[in-house]
Amino acid sequence: MISVKNIIKKYGSKEVLKNLSVDFPDGKTTVILGPSGSGKSTLLRSLDLLVRPESGTLSFGDLKLDYAQPVSKKLSFDVRKKTSMVFQNWNLFPNLTVLQNITTAPETVLGKSKEETEAKAKKLLSQVGLAEYADRYPSQLSGGQQQRISICRALAMDPEYILLDEPTSALDPELENQVLLILEDLSKMGQAMIIVTHNMEFARSVADKIVFVEDGDILFDGTPDQFFNHSTTRIKDFLSGITFNDDAK
Amino acid sequence: MWHIIITSLPAMLTAMIQYTIPLAVVSFIFGLILAVLTALIKFIEPSENKLIKYPWLVLRAIANFYVWLFRSTPLLVQLFIIFFGLPSAGIQLSPFIAAVIGFSLNTGAYASETIRSALLSVPQDQWDAAFTLNFTTRQTLTKIVLPQAVRIALPPLSNSFIGLVKDTSLASSITILEMFQVSQQITAKNFEPLLMYSLAAFLYAVICSLLTLLQHYLERRTSKYVKGSEA
Ligand SMILES: Nc1ncnc2c1ncn2[C@@H]1O[C@H](COP(=O)(O)OP(=O)(O)O)[C@@H](O)[C@H]1O
Ligand SMILES: [Mg+2]
């Protein structure tokens, strides 16, 4: 389990995470919802140490980390080894082929052999339906294809958790679906994931747990059923706001 | 006319092969090494470890001073100081060595800014993606950032190289028998300044055009992953 306690993150004088505590259970899919600017990305990036909160603690299985203290290279490595991030704009490496995008990290970082990483990369690519694109460059592919490849890149590191920050927000609806189906499969297979999304239908179908963030704090932490069917006025407003926006399209 | 050209061409070509090209190539290689080091010293943020941090900041101050000094003084003056000035301080250099030092330091100062801005132009997103995969800073630089920066830096670096080839003509003023100096000497004998200097100009243009072709080839090689380039 990942559990963060009392994290405070400031940008200048602005408190973006306000003494926030939350757990992310093993082998489950946690969906983080909330209005934009509420601190979802900051929270997610704190788990992977791309953002350093001023204070708070992270406990990750047997790893313990105090954000207020200097973090050793070893600890940072161990935390990142258990997590892999998937970004809104996928951030593939444009100078590497699709295959190299997936194999470079396990080869360079984990010291695995080329044969092993390539075999695994090809298997992952065929699972996401992109086996024949191994030797292309990212710029030659659509956004949806690139995002599926970035999921393969994350999986190739055998992370305990995959952290996904609005993985489909930059995609057209048809392309979005291909990515969502893959995430649903992973979720069913018991891959632990933490997903920030604005897609309520997807959240409802994939989440084991919902965390609702507003203004740097957790407003709701519970099951999808509670969230969608029995929640507070504020969350009903949020949900109807989203629904209203969808209707307006 | 052809007679004059044909009789002076061997001396001109000899000067080109003996001095102009070696000066440019050797100085550019040293300049580039210096430029990469200077750019990295300015670009990389040192870790918090005090044993690394303070020496690094000193190095960075030296790098800043160096770039400032060589960008804010004329190349010809730099060459004069190195060749005619340093002997007064007890440092006697052969003309060729003095020229290589001057051209390398000058090229290094300009090229370091080119390389640094190319490094800065690789988005932070690329670093984030590499760090989440547990790449170290060094691995991120060598595998991800430098290859992208090279593509961006190639056209301006080619400009620097072409500029350097032409600037080697300044070495004539510190007694090096490079191509322009030779054309001056021949002119002194045959009184054909228009013809001789045009011939020198033509030969510089030939070298620079060949370099431009090389640049285009390298640009294609390093851009094969960019959208729209056929590879
Ligand atoms: N690097 C940064 N510098 C300054 N402010 C930032 C930075 N990153 C995020 N913020 C601010 O922090 C708040 C939370 O941002 P973020 O975590 O990205 O929200 P969300 O992902 O929920 O949209 C926002 O007000 C945003 O403007
Ligand atoms: Mg966000």
Side-chain angles (χ1 to χ4, degrees):
Chain A
M1 187 165 82
I2 300 182
S3 106
V4 288
K5 291 214 161 48
N6 307 107
I7 31 177
I8 297 176
K9 171 68 197 171
K10 293 181 189 158
Y11 283 114
S13 59
K14 187 169 183 266
E15 231 176 47
V16 175
L17 297 179
K18 301 175 176 166
N19 203 21
L20 174 159
S21 303
V22 63
D23 294 339
F24 302 100
D26 274 339
K28 297 275 198 275
T29 301
T30 305
V31 170
I32 303 180
L33 301 173
S36 70
S38 57
K40 305 179 298 294
S41 297
T42 309
L43 171 60
L44 200 67
R45 294 163 76 86
S46 300
L47 304 178
D48 205 29
L49 308 179
L50 290 176
V51 162
R52 271 297 290 281
E54 274 73 35
S55 64
T57 60
L58 170 75
S59 120
F60 195 152
D62 49 357
L63 302 173
K64 311 274 178 246
L65 183 152
D66 183 346
Y67 287 114
Q69 303 299 319
V71 175
S72 70
K73 284 216 167 91
K74 163 110 177 47
L75 184 54
S76 151
F77 185 93
D78 290 343
V79 168
R80 284 180 173 158
K81 191 162 183 301
K82 288 167 172 265
T83 56
S84 267
M85 190 103 173
V86 170
F87 300 88
Q88 179 171 352
N89 295 305
W90 36 90
N91 301 1
L92 290 178
F93 304 126
N95 56 314
L96 303 178
T97 64
V98 165
L99 192 72
Q100 289 166 339
N101 260 280
I102 304 171
T103 59
T104 304
E107 259 172 61
T108 313
V109 173
L110 305 178
K112 294 196 178 167
S113 74
K114 203 173 151 95
E115 294 73 46
E116 186 184 348
T117 57
E118 284 190 357
K120 172 145 189 192
K122 285 182 179 152
K123 196 169 136 230
L124 288 167
L125 280 173
S126 57
Q127 280 169 10
V128 301
L130 293 172
E132 68 272 41
Y133 293 90
D135 295 323
R136 302 274 189 97
Y137 284 96
S139 66
Q140 299 166 317
L141 306 182
S142 73
Q145 291 169 327
Q146 293 194 52
Q147 191 59 296
R148 285 186 272 164
I149 289 157
S150 97
I151 293 170
C152 294
R153 178 175 72 174
L155 286 168
M157 293 299 276
D158 288 320
E160 278 180 35
Y161 283 73
I162 304 183
L163 316 176
L164 303 101
D165 193 356
E166 301 196 28
T168 62
S169 294
L171 300 176
D172 295 337
E174 318 91 81
L175 302 179
E176 175 172 19
N177 262 334
Q178 307 167 336
V179 173
L180 295 181
L181 288 174
I182 289 165
L183 297 180
E184 279 181 3
D185 279 350
L186 285 172
S187 175
K188 279 187 201 121
M189 282 154 45
Q191 167 69 54
M193 291 190 283
I194 305 175
I195 310 178
V196 175
T197 182
H198 290 293
N199 186 327
M200 290 304 135
E201 210 183 316
F202 172 62
R204 195 196 288 259
S205 78
V206 82
D208 298 304
K209 166 174 172 141
I210 300 254
V211 172
F212 183 81
V213 181
E214 185 164 66
D215 198 16
D217 208 350
I218 305 257
L219 223 69
F220 174 94
D221 177 343
T223 66
D225 178 56
Q226 285 170 320
F227 183 80
F228 287 104
N229 305 323
H230 310 281
S231 60
T232 60
T233 324
R234 170 63 195 114
I235 286 162
K236 282 189 186 125
D237 284 351
F238 173 78
L239 288 172
S240 62
I242 296 261
T243 318
F244 176 72
N245 283 342
D246 278 355
D247 289 344
K249 266 194 228 154
Chain B
M1 182 183 95
W2 289 112
H3 176 71
I4 298 171
I5 293 178
I6 288 166
T7 48
S8 41
L9 205 52
M12 300 276 282
L13 288 177
T14 309
M16 175 165 115
I17 290 164
Q18 223 169 21
Y19 289 109
T20 301
I21 291 176
L23 261 183
V25 171
V26 173
S27 304
F28 193 68
I29 291 170
F30 283 129
L32 214 49
I33 293 170
L34 202 56
V36 170
L37 292 176
T38 308
L40 288 177
I41 287 169
K42 288 196 184 191
F43 178 75
I44 295 173
E45 289 305 323
S47 71
E48 283 305 306
N49 182 340
K50 287 193 173 57
L51 285 177
I52 297 169
K53 188 173 175 183
Y54 292 114
W56 192 261
L57 293 181
V58 171
L59 273 181
R60 187 177 285 179
I62 296 171
N64 284 330
F65 176 74
Y66 155 61
V67 172
W68 168 80
L69 185 67
F70 279 83
R71 292 211 311 169
S72 44
T73 53
L75 175 55
L76 189 57
V77 176
Q78 293 162 15
L79 290 175
F80 269 50
I81 291 178
I82 296 169
F83 184 65
F84 296 116
L86 286 185
S88 324
I91 303 172
Q92 193 93 40
L93 300 165
S94 78
F96 189 81
I97 300 289
V100 166
I101 292 176
F103 289 132
S104 303
L105 288 170
N106 191 274
T107 304
Y110 281 96
S112 74
E113 289 297 278
T114 303
I115 293 171
R116 193 172 70 95
S117 69
L119 287 170
L120 285 170
S121 72
V122 176
Q124 179 62 35
D125 287 351
Q126 293 285 303
W127 289 89
D128 287 348
F131 284 155
T132 187
L133 295 167
N134 250 329
F135 283 100
T136 62
T137 300
R138 181 193 305 222
Q139 290 164 340
T140 308
L141 268 174
T142 55
K143 306 247 169 203
I144 311 298
V145 175
L146 279 174
Q148 295 180 46
V150 164
R151 185 183 72 79
I152 295 163
L154 198 61
L157 286 180
S158 305
N159 270 343
S160 301
F161 192 25
I162 288 171
L164 178 58
V165 169
K166 294 181 291 184
D167 283 345
T168 55
S169 59
L170 292 175
S172 62
S173 60
I174 58 168
T175 76
I176 291 184
L177 280 175
E178 49 66 57
M179 195 161 71
F180 182 56
Q181 171 82 302
V182 168
S183 72
Q184 282 176 302
Q185 289 179 351
I186 298 176
T187 306
K189 284 180 212 142
N190 68 8
F191 305 109
E192 291 278 3
L194 179 61
L195 190 57
M196 289 316 300
Y197 296 147
S198 302
L199 179 59
F202 172 75
L203 291 175
Y204 281 112
V206 169
I207 308 179
C208 294
S209 307
L210 290 176
L211 286 176
T212 306
L213 290 179
L214 177 67
Q215 172 188 351
H216 291 160
Y217 167 74
L218 290 175
E219 278 177 23
R220 276 199 306 280
R221 290 260 329 237
T222 53
S223 297
K224 58 176 190 269
Y225 60 80
V226 179
K227 204 177 189 106
S229 79
E230 290 315 308

